[in-house]
Amino acid sequence: MSEPHELLDEAMTERRLELRMNWRQLAEAADISYEALRAIRRGDYRPAELTARGLDEGLRWALGSVYAVLDGRKPVRLEDHAQQAAGTPETSTPALTEEVEVARRAIAALVDALKLTPEQAEEAFRRVQTDIVRTRTGEGADEPPAPTGSPRRVG
């Protein structure tokens, strides 16, 4: 059986190639040093929470995917996650536009500021995607949004 860091290295390699990135580009996208990325790939250390989040973002994986891979599970690609939530079939993913990148960073900052767990963030994403679909299809346009409780703070 493969070691956790080997599973992560394999998953990152596969995804990096899908995204047509080299290792230095991934390190930059994850906002970590190239040396730190190499050390993670070799298994010299387990990535800290912010590093793992940066890798998730750089690889366009759902939050928590790096730790999922280290625990022997599969990463969740953001495009797969969005399509599941919206109930749409898989289509080719357009390149990130500047606007989408700004939105991604804003959402990541909000998730961080609210100290949401990966599960809470995924639920929030699912609800936003559902709202977007309803708005664009005209469903529920006259209905007020369903009330939601405030997010539970962790830590």
Side-chain angles (χ1 to χ4, degrees), residues 38-152:
R38 278 192 6 214
I40 292 167
R41 292 179 56 219
R42 287 192 309 256
D44 293 344
Y45 74 94
R46 182 179 172 98
E49 185 177 335
L50 289 177
T51 302
R53 180 178 296 163
L55 287 169
D56 285 336
E57 291 173 2
L59 292 163
R60 299 184 203 154
W61 282 344
L63 291 177
S65 288
V66 166
Y67 287 144
V69 173
L70 289 169
D71 291 338
R73 297 187 314 268
K74 298 283 184 197
V76 176
R77 300 179 330 167
L78 284 179
E79 57 268 28
D80 293 344
H81 182 70
Q83 289 161 357
Q84 271 182 346
T88 57
E90 187 168 341
T91 59
S92 63
T93 304
L96 280 180
T97 63
E98 185 175 338
E99 293 84 1
V100 172
E101 180 61 16
V102 168
R104 183 193 67 79
R105 288 178 187 259
I107 292 167
L110 186 57
V111 166
D112 191 43
L114 293 173
K115 296 184 171 123
L116 298 180
T117 65
E119 293 80 16
Q120 291 170 321
E122 285 184 37
E123 177 63 16
F125 297 149
R126 186 192 63 73
R127 289 180 183 190
V128 167
Q129 289 165 338
T130 300
D131 291 346
I132 291 169
V133 169
R134 283 186 182 149
T135 301
R136 292 197 178 150
T137 61
E139 291 179 30
D142 297 329
E143 300 172 21
T148 59
S150 58
R152 214 172 27 123

Side-chain angles (χ1 to χ4, degrees), residues 20-52:
R20 299 174 190 248
M21 299 172 82
N22 63 39
W23 288 113
R24 290 194 186 276
Q25 290 169 323
L26 174 56
E28 184 177 320
D31 199 25
I32 62 174
S33 71
Y34 177 72
E35 292 74 21
L37 179 58
R38 278 192 6 214
I40 292 167
R41 292 179 56 219
R42 287 192 309 256
D44 293 344
Y45 74 94
R46 182 179 172 98
E49 185 177 335
L50 289 177
T51 302

